Amino acid sequence: MTADLAEDVATADALRALTVLRLTQEGLANVAKHADPDASAWLRIAVGAAGDLDFTLRDNGSPGQAPARQAGGVGLVGLRERVELLDGVFNAGPCGSGWQIQARLPQRIGAPA
């Protein structure tokens, strides 16, 4: 895994920090469970000009073929709910031969998404 983490991520409040931790944990668990054993993952956490946290986790799945994803889990549903409780935006879906999770968490609860 390659990670690109902004230094000022450490200034995030406890709720946003916990949400980023859960996004990372669940996202990496999904990579381990669903992607090719030789897959690579890239994590990027940045802080925007308005103080929003931008999270992206992407894997390259199974190089040369579409990933075999199985439905039925509740991990992504739980992540979406967690992000939306903080007035954030959550997206997950195929990206090239792999999968991508993106989230934007506003600077504070009640801030526009």
Side-chain angles (χ1 to χ4, degrees):
M1 182 181 92
T2 302
D4 177 15
L5 308 174
E7 288 183 24
D8 48 356
V9 167
T11 64
D13 61 86
L15 285 174
R16 292 188 319 149
L18 180 60
T19 300
V20 167
L21 173 63
R22 290 298 301 131
L23 286 163
T24 304
Q25 288 174 324
E26 182 66 26
L28 290 176
N30 286 343
V31 171
K33 183 176 180 181
H34 299 292
D36 187 79
D38 296 325
S40 297
W42 300 272
L43 172 64
R44 179 177 177 271
I45 304 172
V47 179
D52 293 351
L53 280 178
D54 290 319
F55 175 95
T56 302
L57 177 61
R58 179 181 315 147
D59 69 64
N60 63 349
S62 303
Q65 62 184 9
R69 301 289 173 173
Q70 299 171 346
V74 295
L76 294 177
V77 172
L79 291 180
R80 178 180 304 281
E81 290 173 354
R82 214 179 252 277
V83 168
E84 289 176 352
L85 281 172
L86 296 177
D87 292 332
V89 178
F90 178 85
N91 292 296
C95 180
S97 64
W99 194 262
Q100 178 171 277
I101 294 174
Q102 290 183 304
R104 173 167 285 172
L105 300 170
Q107 182 177 20
R108 65 188 186 289
I109 296 174

